[in-house]
Amino acid sequence: MTEEPASPATPADQAERPGGAGIPGLDVPDRRGRTGLDQAGRGLTGNPRVNVLDVRVLTSNWFVTRSTTFDFQHSDGHVSVEERETYDRGDGACILLYNVARRTVLLSRQFRFPAYVNGHPDGNLIEVAAGLLDDDAPEQAIRREAEEETGHTIGPVEHVFDVFMSPGSVTERLHFFAAPYDEGTRSGAGGGLQEEGEDIEALELGIDEALAMIGTDIVDAKTIMLLQWSALTGPFARA
């Protein structure tokens, strides 16, 4: 899935709004129809050492950036006031498509601007099929993404694990799946959704070749995790 650019309003805009009009994402809907975005994290009770004091919405664009202030009780008993920024892009799912008989995996290659701006030579990353849930259940979402990106309508899927990919700042939990593919599962051209600006190339590799590319040509974390799982305890280890 791709992100959509916009020029969102922020809480600081309230001072510039005539008559103190509402703030998108807080008391009036933002561009995605959301309100109450400043309530995330309030009322959490799972960790008695943490008490949320305040939540500020910094941006409410396609995704949401918040600054949360909370009391934190350290292991020695003293309490400090901490502030953390979080980036909320929703949860996602990814899937490794594999063919045990041919010892191949079906990946994709697409341009990723964040990788490009942070030193990747051209921004074209080799990845497993993946996308945001968009209010769907994880398995439903990954079936959609697999078909959109690779052109394969998959059958039974195996749930592998759920992982927080960057827990220091990003709230996203990623659901990992795997499923077999062959010519019988092909149902379309794939390539992603043109209306979302996607331009995705399906890429079939031998599993041994893919594993050898880790750290050089394959530098995407979710893809590395699923490839290694497939070889250590997954379908290629069981074959």
Side-chain angles (χ1 to χ4, degrees):
M1 303 298 290
T2 55
E3 302 179 15
E4 298 190 14
S7 299
T10 68
D13 295 330
Q14 186 177 30
E16 302 177 5
R17 295 175 182 275
I23 303 171
L26 274 67
D27 49 3
V28 297
D30 67 3
R31 62 178 298 210
R32 298 186 67 182
R34 300 170 297 196
T35 59
L37 295 177
D38 59 338
Q39 299 303 304
R42 298 181 188 270
L44 289 175
T45 59
N47 188 338
R49 296 168 59 188
V50 177
N51 178 41
V52 174
L53 302 173
D54 185 51
V55 180
R56 292 185 298 122
V57 176
L58 304 179
T59 61
S60 172
N61 192 6
W62 197 246
F63 303 132
V64 182
T65 307
R66 300 178 178 90
S67 177
T68 301
T69 305
F70 56 92
D71 286 335
F72 179 73
Q73 184 182 39
H74 295 258
S75 56
D76 64 3
H78 87 276
V79 176
S80 64
V81 178
E82 305 293 337
E83 183 177 2
R84 297 290 186 272
E85 287 189 12
T86 56
Y87 184 59
D88 183 354
R89 62 191 306 271
D91 292 341
C94 60
I95 190 166
L96 177 68
L97 301 184
Y98 61 86
N99 187 309
V100 171
R102 298 176 57 224
R103 289 188 60 79
T104 58
V105 291
L106 188 59
L107 306 177
S108 65
R109 179 160 35 211
Q110 61 179 306
F111 177 70
R112 296 296 199 183
F113 182 77
Y116 184 45
V117 78
N118 198 29
H120 189 277
D122 58 14
N124 294 317
L125 265 59
I126 297 174
E127 306 178 33
V128 292
L132 297 178
L133 301 187
D134 291 336
D135 297 324
D136 288 334
E139 183 176 326
Q140 181 182 2
I142 203 54
R143 289 181 180 279
R144 178 193 70 227
E145 294 296 329
E147 185 171 6
E148 289 176 2
E149 295 189 10
T150 71
H152 283 259
T153 301
I154 54 177
V157 302
E158 178 179 358
H159 176 246
V160 181
F161 40 61
D162 301 330
V163 175
F164 291 98
M165 295 296 290
S166 187
S169 58
V170 181
T171 63
E172 180 183 26
R173 177 163 45 192
L174 194 60
H175 304 269
F176 285 67
F177 295 91
Y181 79 96
D182 55 29
E183 281 305 308
T185 61
R186 181 177 294 279
S187 57
L193 298 180
Q194 187 175 14
E195 61 268 27
E196 293 187 0
E198 295 180 329
D199 184 5
I200 300 173
E201 171 193 1
L203 183 65
E204 186 176 61
L205 297 172
I207 180 58
D208 297 320
E209 179 185 7
L211 289 167
M213 294 167 68
I214 290 175
T216 54
D217 297 294
I218 297 179
V219 292
D220 172 66
K222 63 183 179 294
T223 304
I224 294 171
M225 293 166 69
L226 278 173
L227 288 173
Q228 292 182 333
W229 165 81
S230 75
L232 292 172
T233 60
F236 297 108
R238 299 191 292 256

